[in-house]
Amino acid sequence: MKKSGAAEKKRVRRSSAVVQNGTRDPNSDTPPRKQAAKKDVFQLFAEKVRDHKDLESRWAVLQETRVEYFRGKDFVSFLRNHPEVKDILESDRNLETEDIANALLSKNLLVRCDRVVKTLRPGKKKLSTWPAHLEIFPEQVFSDNDAFFAWTFEKGRPLWQTLLSFFWPVLTLAICLFPVYPHRCKLLILYSCAGVLLLILSLLFVRAAIFGMIWILLGKRVWFFPNILAEEATLRELFRFWPKKDEEEKPKWTARLFYAVVAVLVILLLRHHAPDEAARARYQKRMSNIIDDVLEWSPRLALSGMMEKQPDVANATEANGTFSDGSKTNPDEIVPPDADAETGNVHENDQHQDNI
């Protein structure tokens, strides 16, 4: 009886679980394993679309999390130009673009977002094409009218990122061991780092100079390498050369004239207070001495310097010991101060009697 009661309880639990999870559609002939495979098909489709280069996407901040997102109209044009991507969906390849996107939204592979800043900034004619900050849209339905969609799953890490994660600790250790490198390696690292730093500073200076000249002369804002200082940008976007289209209003001629006068005054001031040859030579000598101290240091020289200091300390210790031993071994030779005073008085009395 106990066994039959336990089996009956198990049947009740299984039936309740089936009711909670939802009954199977009697009209569908697809077994449960194939239905689960369909979910994997949409997952594969999402990964394929995300890795495709023709779907333009950007990175933004969504609730303090960096996400990759795209626009709805770009998704529509992408599937129109690349219909072969739908072959991954197998039986659902004939679905419309809107239905495919809604399926991805229902499976939590996508989430619809909206821009945080919805008002125009001063001096701009329209909102930003790719906003840097997003928020979740209340209605999770596909639309190609100024709608943004962010991927919710983690992208597979490529091999070079895995290798780079192992390379960073090795690089950190190599930086810490810089003082023990050979002299030629130190020179190579020093000049390489100085060259890279000079290249970056020169690029920023030339970029700012070109922007200033074009802005003053033509009134247009032209930034070459527009994303070179951007915080939320991929490596490909970071080194993009061509400038973005200027969407702001043209500046007034009075402002351009004012900044032109300021630029000329700053150049004249820097030229007037430029250091002379003697000051440059002193600064160069000082920097060369610092660099030489860093480059010429080695553990062998440090150890030899420590060994040279040890005999001096030993000699000083021996001299102190000898002096202390001599003061202890000859106590009779030490004349008390009272005896010296009495002896001096006796000599003075003898001299006084001789004079008399």
Side-chain angles (χ1 to χ4, degrees):
M1 295 294 292
K2 291 183 179 179
K3 291 182 180 179
S4 61
E8 204 168 295
K9 288 182 180 179
K10 288 182 180 180
R11 290 176 184 173
V12 172
R13 289 177 183 174
R14 289 176 183 173
S15 61
S16 62
V18 170
V19 171
Q20 290 177 358
N21 295 331
T23 58
R24 181 184 169 188
D25 188 3
N27 297 326
S28 64
D29 298 332
T30 308
R33 291 183 180 179
K34 289 188 178 180
Q35 289 180 356
K38 282 189 176 181
K39 294 182 181 179
D40 297 335
V41 164
F42 278 98
Q43 176 75 29
L44 293 174
F45 173 79
E47 293 176 357
K48 181 72 174 180
V49 172
R50 185 175 183 179
D51 293 335
H52 208 287
K53 296 181 180 180
D54 291 343
L55 180 62
E56 190 175 4
S57 62
R58 293 289 189 277
W59 288 85
V61 178
L62 174 64
Q63 295 180 350
E64 300 180 358
T65 305
R66 292 186 73 248
V67 294
E68 185 180 5
Y69 73 100
F70 59 89
R71 298 178 298 184
K73 59 181 181 180
D74 294 335
F75 185 74
V76 174
S77 61
F78 170 77
L79 291 183
R80 187 188 306 117
N81 297 329
H82 300 277
E84 69 276 2
V85 181
K86 294 182 179 181
D87 295 339
I88 304 176
L89 298 177
E90 296 178 356
S91 60
D92 296 328
R93 68 170 62 93
N94 296 324
L95 291 176
E96 297 293 334
T97 302
E98 184 176 355
D99 297 333
I100 295 174
N102 288 329
L104 295 177
L105 289 170
S106 63
K107 296 178 185 301
N108 294 326
L109 297 173
L110 285 179
V111 60
R112 183 176 175 179
C113 308
D114 194 10
R115 61 178 79 245
V116 175
V117 180
K118 301 180 179 63
T119 57
L120 289 175
R121 293 181 180 179
K124 287 196 173 184
K125 300 179 181 179
K126 60 179 183 179
L127 295 173
S128 176
T129 307
W130 296 95
H133 298 273
L134 299 173
E135 60 183 3
I136 297 178
F137 195 73
E139 298 179 0
Q140 293 297 313
V141 181
F142 181 77
S143 175
D144 57 353
N145 184 16
D146 196 26
F148 306 98
F149 299 89
W151 301 106
T152 57
F153 60 92
E154 294 184 2
K155 191 176 181 180
R157 179 177 296 181
L159 180 60
W160 67 270
Q161 289 186 359
T162 305
L163 297 177
L164 189 63
S165 62
F166 288 101
F167 175 72
W168 281 120
V170 177
L171 179 62
T172 304
L173 182 61
I175 293 173
C176 296
L177 294 177
F178 175 79
V180 300
Y181 285 173
H183 186 72
R184 292 183 179 179
C185 293
K186 290 181 180 179
L187 286 177
L188 179 62
I189 294 172
L190 176 65
Y191 289 131
S192 300
C193 295
V196 172
L197 182 61
L198 182 61
L199 177 63
I200 294 173
L201 295 178
S202 301
L203 177 63
L204 295 178
F205 177 76
V206 173
R207 177 174 175 264
I210 293 175
F211 172 82
M213 288 188 296
I214 296 177
W215 187 82
I216 291 174
L217 297 176
L218 304 177
K220 295 183 179 181
R221 301 170 180 85
V222 178
W223 283 109
F224 292 98
F225 294 100
N227 301 323
I228 196 67
L229 299 177
E231 297 180 357
E232 304 293 336
T234 59
L235 189 62
R236 183 180 61 183
E237 296 173 355
L238 193 65
F239 294 100
R240 178 186 174 187
F241 177 75
W242 293 109
K244 297 179 180 179
K245 185 178 179 180
D246 188 11
E247 299 176 353
E248 300 182 9
E249 295 180 357
K250 190 175 182 179
K252 297 180 180 179
W253 67 270
T254 54
R256 293 159 54 192
L257 179 62
F258 172 75
Y259 282 106
V261 173
V262 170
V264 172
L265 292 178
V266 169
I267 293 173
L268 294 176
L269 186 64
L270 292 176
R271 185 178 180 182
H272 179 71
H273 292 281
D276 53 0
E277 292 294 334
R280 285 197 292 268
R282 288 195 302 269
Y283 180 75
Q284 182 179 0
K285 185 177 180 181
R286 189 184 309 166
M287 292 301 299
S288 63
N289 292 335
I290 295 174
I291 294 174
D292 291 340
D293 292 340
V294 174
L295 293 178
E296 294 177 359
W297 185 93
S298 65
R300 187 176 300 174
L301 293 176
L303 292 175
S304 62
M306 293 174 62
M307 295 300 293
E308 289 176 358
K309 290 181 180 179
Q310 286 182 358
D312 298 336
V313 176
N315 293 332
T317 307
E318 290 177 359
N320 293 331
T322 304
F323 178 77
S324 61
D325 294 340
S327 62
K328 291 180 181 178
T329 54
N330 298 322
D332 297 336
E333 295 179 0
I334 300 175
V335 180
D338 296 338
D340 290 340
E342 292 177 358
T343 305
N345 293 331
V346 171
H347 286 297
E348 289 179 357
N349 292 332
D350 293 340
Q351 290 178 0
H352 182 67
Q353 290 177 1
D354 293 339
N355 293 328
I356 294 173

